[in-house]
Amino acid sequence: MTATFVPTAGSVARPDAQVPVSREARDTLPRDAQDSVSRDARDFGAYARTGGWAFALKVARSVRPGGQSADETAKVSAKEFAELAGCSPERVMRYYKAWDKAADDGLVPHFEVLVPGEETELPDADAWLTYYASRSSASSERGSAIAEAAQAEGIRPTKALEVAENPTALRAAILADPSTAQAARTALLDRVKEDPALQAELARDIARTDELKKAVATETRAADRIGYVRQIAEKGQIRTPAGQTLDAPAELRSEAERHLSLLDELDEGEDTGEWAAEAYDTMKGLVVETVEADPELRVQERRTKFYNSLQRATKVFEELTFDDADDIYEDDMVQRLEDLQQAIGSCIAALRGAAPRE
């Protein structure tokens, strides 16, 4: 015999209550079909109004509590109930435990006062997921952590647990839906800040994927360019081509602020590369013009550039060793060094000739 249970908001409808059916629908359906449709509609309505409570009641009034023997009650064991239902005992016990927790909170009657077939008022559907753990993993350390994170995000733990237990479904959703991919990206970035192992794994993935390496290089270049403009706008300093750091003129700083405001107004998903390049090129050009317009700055720029080149050349020669000269010797090497020696001699002579006379 199939048991039917039809609760309503605040009360339980009679099992034989009929769902209104239009005259046209009744006329086109055989009597047996009409009864089946009505029964399905009642069951659907019960679940829509009370959620899992409708089925938890079936378990609560039919499965005997722990400690009771078969001789003490007409109820059956969870295993027998599962066999009759065609499902696992574990699934039955999840409904059993949910009812037990709610009974301890005074939300529903205890098992002992319920008898098979008895109806009772049921809580609202929204309260169901507070007591029901749809996954056995909810009781594990991993499951508890997921449940806590879900509660912190204001969502039902069962939803987060379901996603965690079905990574293939999560992958499919990320691949198919941009908004899901965006949510996953944001969550991954939040986690990577506190997970060194994940940081290393992501770094390796990026390093091994040409497309990602190119994308990272592009974004890094754009970020560096924006940083150059931000340095001028916010700190009032410019960096010349030779590497000097100087105070920015008011007009140049104002132009940097204008470009920075345009960059800051871009939407999060909008490509900043082109805007960053335009702002960077504009500011670089203005910096060069600023240096060229000031004779003293222009001389200092040339001097700084010369020193930079001299330091690089000196470092290169300091790193050369000639312990194995016999192995590496070639006539061309000697010729190039002799040419370089002449160039250095000419440079020294020019500088000495330009030295101020005492």
Side-chain angles (χ1 to χ4, degrees), residues 148-340:
E148 290 177 7
Q151 291 173 348
E153 294 289 335
I155 63 173
R156 296 170 179 171
T158 49
K159 288 186 176 294
L161 288 165
E162 183 177 358
V163 170
E165 291 189 2
N166 198 341
T168 303
L170 176 61
R171 170 183 166 82
I174 292 173
L175 290 175
D177 177 41
S179 61
T180 303
Q182 177 66 21
R185 182 186 72 86
T186 302
L188 196 59
L189 288 175
D190 288 342
R191 180 183 176 93
V192 79
K193 295 174 184 176
E194 301 178 359
D195 191 337
L198 183 58
Q199 291 174 14
E201 290 173 8
L202 285 177
R204 284 194 294 269
D205 290 339
I206 292 172
R208 295 168 181 169
T209 308
D210 290 339
E211 293 80 3
L212 290 178
K213 283 195 295 185
K214 292 177 182 177
V216 168
T218 299
E219 291 301 320
T220 300
R221 184 165 56 251
D224 289 343
R225 288 172 170 175
I226 294 173
Y228 179 85
V229 177
R230 192 178 298 278
Q231 175 84 3
I232 300 173
E234 296 182 352
K235 297 186 178 181
Q237 294 180 328
I238 60 175
R239 188 173 179 83
T240 69
Q244 295 187 84
T245 300
L246 309 170
D247 290 336
E251 308 81 40
L252 196 150
R253 185 172 184 178
S254 177
E255 182 66 9
E257 290 172 349
R258 186 182 71 83
H259 279 283
L260 188 61
S261 66
L262 291 173
L263 288 166
D264 289 341
E265 289 174 4
L266 295 177
D267 294 334
E268 183 178 351
E270 193 169 355
D271 183 14
T272 60
E274 184 177 348
W275 292 87
E278 180 182 347
Y280 177 79
D281 291 342
T282 299
M283 299 315 301
K284 288 283 284 187
L286 291 175
V287 168
V288 171
E289 291 177 9
T290 300
V291 172
E292 290 298 318
D294 187 323
E296 185 177 345
L297 276 180
R298 187 166 64 248
V299 171
Q300 183 62 34
E301 184 75 355
R302 292 176 61 193
R303 184 181 292 115
T304 303
K305 185 177 181 181
F306 182 87
Y307 267 113
N308 290 341
S309 299
L310 183 59
Q311 287 174 351
R312 287 195 298 270
T314 301
K315 184 178 181 180
V316 169
F317 272 94
E318 288 175 345
E319 291 175 351
L320 292 177
T321 60
F322 298 96
D323 296 336
D324 54 351
D326 292 341
D327 296 330
I328 66 172
Y329 172 82
E330 289 184 2
D331 291 338
D332 183 59
M333 289 182 183
V334 176
Q335 182 61 51
R336 290 194 179 196
L337 285 171
E338 289 176 346
D339 293 342
L340 181 58

Side-chain angles (χ1 to χ4, degrees), residues 4-6 15 17-19 37-46 49:
T4 59
F5 170 63
V6 191
Q18 296 296 315
V19 174
V37 170
S38 297
R39 184 167 57 252
D40 286 347
R42 288 197 301 272
D43 289 344
F44 180 83
R49 286 185 294 275

